[in-house]
Amino acid sequence: MITLTENAVAAIKAALSRADEPAEGFRIMVEPGGCGGLKYQMGLESVSREGDAIMEANGVKVFIDSSSQPHLAGMTVDFVTNLESSGFVFDNPNAGDKCACGKSFRKAP
């Protein structure tokens, strides 16, 4: 469904190891909002939910809810660090236009 780069896997593993409460994996979802109309939400997750697609990449479980799955199919998630900032970067073939910050997008026509 999605691809995680080595850098993304390392960032998720680091977040899981620093979590205050035990987490089983990482959730990626799409919600209405942001300057593009749809925004990505990410966070640690302790259990899967009904309808989740569950994928595993290099020992990291990723949960994707059923309504987000069509928006995220084929997406690559990377984690970049540069002089100005660091964070997750999304290369999403389902996104038409994306905002300047890269955290929200418009659905492709």
Side-chain angles (χ1 to χ4, degrees), residues 3-88:
T3 302
L4 300 176
T5 66
E6 289 181 27
N7 288 340
V9 169
I12 294 168
K13 284 181 176 180
L16 288 167
S17 72
R18 292 189 310 261
D20 291 334
E21 298 192 19
E24 186 177 327
F26 199 71
R27 179 169 297 281
I28 302 175
M29 59 192 298
V30 173
E31 294 182 335
C35 50
L38 296 169
K39 65 181 180 178
Y40 300 106
Q41 292 285 19
M42 303 172 67
L44 301 180
E45 188 72 57
S46 56
V47 294
S48 65
R49 301 176 193 167
E50 187 175 331
D52 278 351
I54 304 169
M55 58 163 284
E56 191 164 330
N58 296 323
V60 171
K61 281 188 184 177
V62 178
F63 305 105
I64 303 170
D65 66 272
S66 60
S67 62
S68 297
Q69 291 170 23
H71 298 293
L72 302 178
M75 181 173 77
T76 298
V77 180
D78 193 9
F79 188 86
V80 297
T81 303
N82 59 40
L83 291 174
E84 298 171 0
S85 65
S86 62
F88 288 97

